[in-house]
Structures are given as structure tokens and as C-alpha cells.
Amino acid sequence: MNENGFTQFSAVTVLLLLAAFYGGTYLLTLLIRKEKEDTSGFMVAGHHVGFGMGAASMTATWIWAASFYAAATSGYTYGVSGPIHYGLWGALMILFIYPFGRRFRKLAPNGHTLGELIHARHGSSSQLILAGSNVLGSIISLMVNFTAAGALVSVLSPLSFETGVLVAGLGVLAYTLTSGFRASVFTDFAQLVALMAIAIVIIPAVLFSAGGPSVMVDGLSRMTDEQANLLSVDAIMNQGAPFFVAVLAYAIGNQTISQRLFAVRESHIKSTFITATLGYGAIVIGLGMIGLIALSVGIEPIDGDMNNLIPQMVSTYLSPVFVALFFILVIGSLSSTADSDLSALSTIMMADVYGKNIAKNNPNPKVMMLVGRITMIVATVAGLIFASFSLDILVMLVFVGALWGAIVFPVILSCYWDRVSNAAFTWSVVIAMALFCIARFELLEMTGMTVLAFEVLASAGGAVVIGLMVFGFLGRSAGLLAGALTLMGMLLFATGFLRDYMVLVASLTAYGASAIACSVMSLFNRERFDFDLIKERVGDYDDTETVDDSGLVAEGAK
């Protein structure tokens, strides 16, 4: 035990656990390594990832280090509805992506990034907005995951925070550098199996060691009325609604997600995303239950730090063997997301920056591969450096989340409406970001007509979110009707009420402002775009056919 009461392993034990995990993962990648890697395989596994691998990779990527701590914090803070608000909405966002993903694949069946599609649709400026947001978001994600590794190592061993960060960074880089996205997908499958097996054991073990289901029933008396209420307004407005809005932005704007849309066989997109929805929801809601158990038994987080909650609960109620399994669980979750970030960054630099803007659609495949691998190395170094600083991660995540929220409507509308122009895309994002900053940081005094104007924009944003989701599954008429009804409902009931939740107002403003600006500017555009041009402009960069013995990749098509 250390001074905080955590189970603590020796330095040798932790290093052996890390060596076993990363060494075993690296050996797995050697099974699919090819002497001559091609760009299609390195970026999207030849567009032929199967159902099982695809669902496992999507689930493992969506579950990152923050999922553990944030899910438990949600359960501890908001009570019985907390784990549901964190896990359910995140899971449903995976489901809501797939109808739009099918449209993206139909327009660009041989694409590698959503940026390539936007480049073919609008040109460089819109594409680089999307690519830039992805680069910033992925580097921040790397930093968060490496930071989590360092914190875990420093808590459970005598090793320093910097040692944990360095080992995690180099371990992830080592196996991802070999085969890029193919390695990420292949190892995601093994990591998810471990995640599910360990979670199935650890979560019930904590519950029964703490006293079983009866202790949670008894613990209701320790909760506030809001915490004990499954339909808590406090939980919905402060946790559920903001997360619901933010994850949709993450789903559309993040390359780690769109990369899998282009990698999975087109016929398996629906089944892949439905399975990933169920897998993510089950695991993350379960992890959130640990926070609820802590609340029920009256545990106080050491030093008031919510990030200590899960290791504290595991150390308090379980044997060192289970603590070691928990250690592997967290390392596996952060590694599965970190390798996806490296693959996403390399693909963006290979396709969006080098392929489309530097080589002007005539790239050298060998140079492309070199660009991809150099990007991984540079990104890892950047993630390690940033992880060693005491940066305000929340502020950076706020900006990235807002940028992704601002691009959701322009991206989707650009794939369905032939009147959307490059100017409409670009200016709608700029306007939405400016208004978001004003609302989020209250740069203007939020009173009177000013706050009312932002509530109206936020109401439009709520209509956009609901309308897009309904449109994806039920078509344009249903989507417009759902959006109109949502807008009327929010204007009637939300104005005068939303101002008490400015974080939510700011996020919805990004959606509403971008949708209004993009739609109005597009209406003045008389030119029509031929969507068939996208398929002609977006393709693979290799002329050779490749065969993957692992079954991940089939024939590459030019």
C-alpha cells in the first residue's frame, strides 16, 4: 500500500506487466506485417475490414482512458442516472453515425478520409478546416491517454509519472508503426476481448465485495433527491444533454471514426455499428456503476480527485490480482484509442495534406508511406511532450468539440444538397465558432436580448441535432418535421430556461449558427454540383493488388 491506501506493485512487476502487454501486442502485429506495405492497406486496410474486426475496433476505439474515469465520475456525481447518461448517449451516437456513413461510402467508395470527400466537393479550404480540427483533436486525445498511463503507473508503483507516459507512448508507436491502420484494427480485436473479459470479472467483484446489490439499495438514503431520481433534471441538463450533443460532433468530425467507415466492407457497415453500439454501452455503463457503488457505500475520493475513484474502489475491495487485471484493462483501453489516433493522424497527413494539396492528386506511394510513418513518430513525441506539461485539457477539448459541432451540419448537408458552396461551408464554420466563443466564455453580458438571441440560436441547434438524427434513418420529410417540432418546442419552453446552462447553450449555438449560415448562403448559390464527380476524384493511390493473409485486407481497387 502507498500513503493514499492504494495497492502498490513493485517497479519490476509494473514493468513486466507493461512489457507483457506491449510486447504481446507487437508480436500480434508481426502476424499481419507485409514486406511491402501499400498505402491503401496502411490507411484503411484495403477497404475490406470484416464485421467482427470492424465492430471490435470501433468499440475499442470509442472506449478510451477518459471513459473509465468520466463514467465513474458521472455515477458518483449524478447517482442512479449518471452511468446511463454517459454510456447510453455515447453508444447511441455510434448507431446514429452509420446512415451518414453509408452515404459517405456511396459517394467515395475508395476514400480514406472524410476530408478527401470534402476536398472533392468543395476544395482545399473546407478540407483543411476538417483536417486541422482532426489533427488538433487527435493530438489532444494522445496527450490525454498518455497522461492517464503516467498517472496510473505513478499511483500503482514507485515509478514516476514520466516513466509511465514514456513507456505507453513508445509501446503504442512500436506496434502501430509496422502496419498502420491494419495493426490498429488487428490489435483492437485482442484488446477488446481482454477489456470485456476483465470488465465482466471486475465490476461484479467490486459490487459483491462491497456488500452486493443490497448495499446499493441501502445507499439510496445517502443520496440527494436528484441523485436518487432516474429522471433527474440536474443529470439531464448537466451531463446527458451536453454529452448527447458533443458526441454527435465527435462522431462526424473525428477521423478515427470516419476512417473505420471507409475501412469496413460497405455491406457490413450497419451490422458493425449496431454491434459496436451494444458493446460500448454495456462496458461503459458497467464502469459507471463503480462510481455509483462508491456513492452508495459513502466512499470519498482521495484528495477530492475523481480520477482516484476507480483505482481506489478496486484497491479497497479487491485482491492484488484483480488490481493487476484492472491495470491491464486501463492500459488496453488507452492504447486502443492512442493507436487509432496515430493511424488517423498519419492518414490525414498522407491523403489530405500530401496527396491532395502537395502532390495535387498525383502522389508517390513510397513518399506517402514515409509521410505516414514520420507523422506517427512526430505525433507520439508531441503527445509525450504535452503530456508532461500541466495543460488545461478541458479548455482545449472545448475548442475542438465546438469546431466539430460547427462542421457537423455543413459536412452532412454538403453530401446531400448540390447547392452548398465552399464559401457557405467555410463561413458557416467561422461564424459558428465565433458565436460559440462569445456564449461559452460569456464575452458579452448574457442578459436581456443578448441571451435571448443565443437561446434562439441554441433552440435552432437542438432542432438541427434531432432533425439530422431522424433524417439519417427516416428521410428528409421526417427529418424536417422532427426538426420543426423540436424548434417550436424549444422556443416555447427553453427560452428563459436554457440561460442557466450556458455550456449547453454554447454547444447548441455552434450547431444552430452553422446550420443557419450554411443554409442561407447556399440558397443564394445558383450552381449545382454533380455528386458523381466525387467518386471520380477520390480513389486509392496504389496500382497493385494486395492480399492480406490475416483476412483483414482483400484486393485493393484503384
Side-chain angles (χ1 to χ4, degrees), residues 18 29 47 56 84 91 121 173 242 281 327 370 392 395 438 470 475 483 516:
L18 289 169
T29 62
H47 310 285
I84 297 174
R121 177 70 174 86
L173 176 64
F327 180 84
L370 182 62
D392 192 335
V395 171
I438 292 172
V470 174
I516 293 171

Side-chain angles (χ1 to χ4, degrees), residues 362-536:
N362 189 31
N364 183 326
K366 292 182 178 179
V367 174
M368 244 184 142
M369 292 294 298
L370 182 62
V371 167
R373 289 195 164 102
I374 290 175
T375 298
M376 287 186 175
I377 295 171
V378 172
T380 300
V381 172
L384 293 174
I385 293 173
F386 291 146
S388 66
F389 296 155
S390 298
L391 300 176
D392 192 335
I393 296 171
L394 180 59
V395 171
M396 290 184 288
L397 286 175
V398 164
F399 275 107
V400 174
L403 184 55
W404 285 340
I407 66 176
V408 167
F409 187 84
V411 166
I412 293 177
L413 198 66
S414 295
C415 295
Y416 290 91
W417 194 16
D418 58 6
R419 293 178 66 167
V420 181
S421 65
N422 181 50
F425 186 107
T426 303
W427 280 107
S428 64
V429 174
V430 172
I431 293 169
M433 277 298 296
L435 291 173
F436 165 83
C437 291
I438 292 172
R440 178 64 181 84
F441 301 106
E442 299 189 32
L443 301 179
L444 297 176
E445 187 176 354
M446 289 298 163
T447 58
M449 293 302 296
T450 301
V451 73
L452 180 62
F454 277 98
E455 284 181 324
V456 171
L457 284 173
S459 297
V464 169
V465 172
I466 299 302
L468 285 177
M469 291 176 178
V470 174
F471 163 69
F473 286 96
L474 301 178
R476 183 178 63 181
S477 297
L480 289 172
L481 177 61
L485 292 175
T486 302
L487 178 61
M488 288 188 293
M490 291 194 70
L491 289 175
L492 285 174
F493 300 106
T495 50
F497 170 72
L498 276 180
R499 64 191 63 183
D500 293 329
Y501 304 94
M502 286 307 297
V503 173
L504 179 59
V505 168
S507 298
L508 289 174
T509 293
Y511 282 92
S514 64
I516 293 171
C518 187
S519 299
V520 171
M521 292 183 69
S522 297
L523 286 171
F524 285 97
N525 180 31
R526 299 302 177 189
E527 296 182 5
R528 296 291 189 272
F529 180 79
D530 181 1
F531 283 107
D532 289 336
L533 292 174
I534 295 177
K535 187 179 297 185
E536 298 175 11

Side-chain angles (χ1 to χ4, degrees), residues 134-440:
N134 274 291
V135 169
L136 183 58
S138 292
I139 290 177
I140 291 174
S141 178
L142 277 175
M143 177 179 62
V144 171
N145 283 290
F146 293 160
T147 299
L152 188 67
V153 167
S154 66
V155 164
L156 297 180
S157 79
L159 295 171
S160 67
F161 170 85
E162 290 77 14
T163 301
V165 169
L166 185 63
V167 172
L170 295 179
V172 172
L173 176 64
Y175 71 80
T176 311
L177 198 62
T178 58
S179 301
F181 181 74
R182 295 167 63 250
S184 176
V185 171
F186 191 65
T187 55
D188 278 346
F189 183 83
Q191 288 163 354
L192 181 65
V193 171
L195 280 171
M196 293 180 66
I198 296 171
I200 288 170
V201 173
I202 283 182
I203 296 169
V206 171
L207 174 61
F208 285 101
S209 295
S214 61
V215 76
M216 298 186 69
V217 175
D218 295 337
L220 290 173
S221 61
R222 293 190 177 94
M223 301 181 190
T224 65
D225 291 341
E226 284 292 317
Q227 289 174 329
N229 184 4
L230 187 62
L231 301 176
S232 167
V233 174
D234 182 47
I236 292 171
M237 298 305 296
N238 288 303
Q239 173 72 50
F243 191 64
F244 181 81
V245 171
V247 178
L248 176 60
Y250 186 96
I252 296 297
N254 194 287
Q255 169 62 15
T256 62
I257 306 302
S258 57
Q259 191 169 16
R260 282 155 180 77
L261 287 171
F262 289 112
V264 174
R265 290 189 180 96
E266 194 169 354
S267 59
H268 292 161
I269 290 177
K270 181 177 180 179
S271 56
T272 295
F273 280 78
I274 290 176
T275 304
T277 297
L278 298 174
Y280 173 91
I283 293 174
V284 174
I285 291 175
L287 291 169
M289 294 300 292
I290 295 180
L292 183 58
I293 296 169
L295 177 65
S296 300
V297 299
I299 291 287
E300 291 290 336
I302 292 174
D303 298 329
D305 186 353
M306 287 294 184
N307 288 338
N308 287 331
L309 199 57
I310 286 187
Q312 185 178 345
M313 288 292 290
V314 173
S315 293
T316 300
Y317 291 106
L318 300 181
S319 67
V321 173
F322 283 99
V323 178
L325 290 175
F326 165 76
F327 180 84
I328 295 297
L329 182 67
V330 178
I331 293 297
S333 70
L334 67 87
S335 298
S336 66
T337 305
D339 63 39
S340 297
D341 287 320
L342 289 181
S343 298
L345 284 165
S346 66
T347 302
I348 289 169
M349 296 303 294
M350 290 168 72
D352 291 349
V353 177
Y354 172 71
K356 294 298 181 184
N357 289 286
I358 297 177
K360 304 298 183 183
N361 284 322
N362 189 31
N364 183 326
K366 292 182 178 179
V367 174
M368 244 184 142
M369 292 294 298
L370 182 62
V371 167
R373 289 195 164 102
I374 290 175
T375 298
M376 287 186 175
I377 295 171
V378 172
T380 300
V381 172
L384 293 174
I385 293 173
F386 291 146
S388 66
F389 296 155
S390 298
L391 300 176
D392 192 335
I393 296 171
L394 180 59
V395 171
M396 290 184 288
L397 286 175
V398 164
F399 275 107
V400 174
L403 184 55
W404 285 340
I407 66 176
V408 167
F409 187 84
V411 166
I412 293 177
L413 198 66
S414 295
C415 295
Y416 290 91
W417 194 16
D418 58 6
R419 293 178 66 167
V420 181
S421 65
N422 181 50
F425 186 107
T426 303
W427 280 107
S428 64
V429 174
V430 172
I431 293 169
M433 277 298 296
L435 291 173
F436 165 83
C437 291
I438 292 172
R440 178 64 181 84

Side-chain angles (χ1 to χ4, degrees), residues 42-54:
F42 195 83
M43 290 192 288
V44 288
H47 310 285
H48 286 280
V49 173
F51 160 65
M53 286 287 186

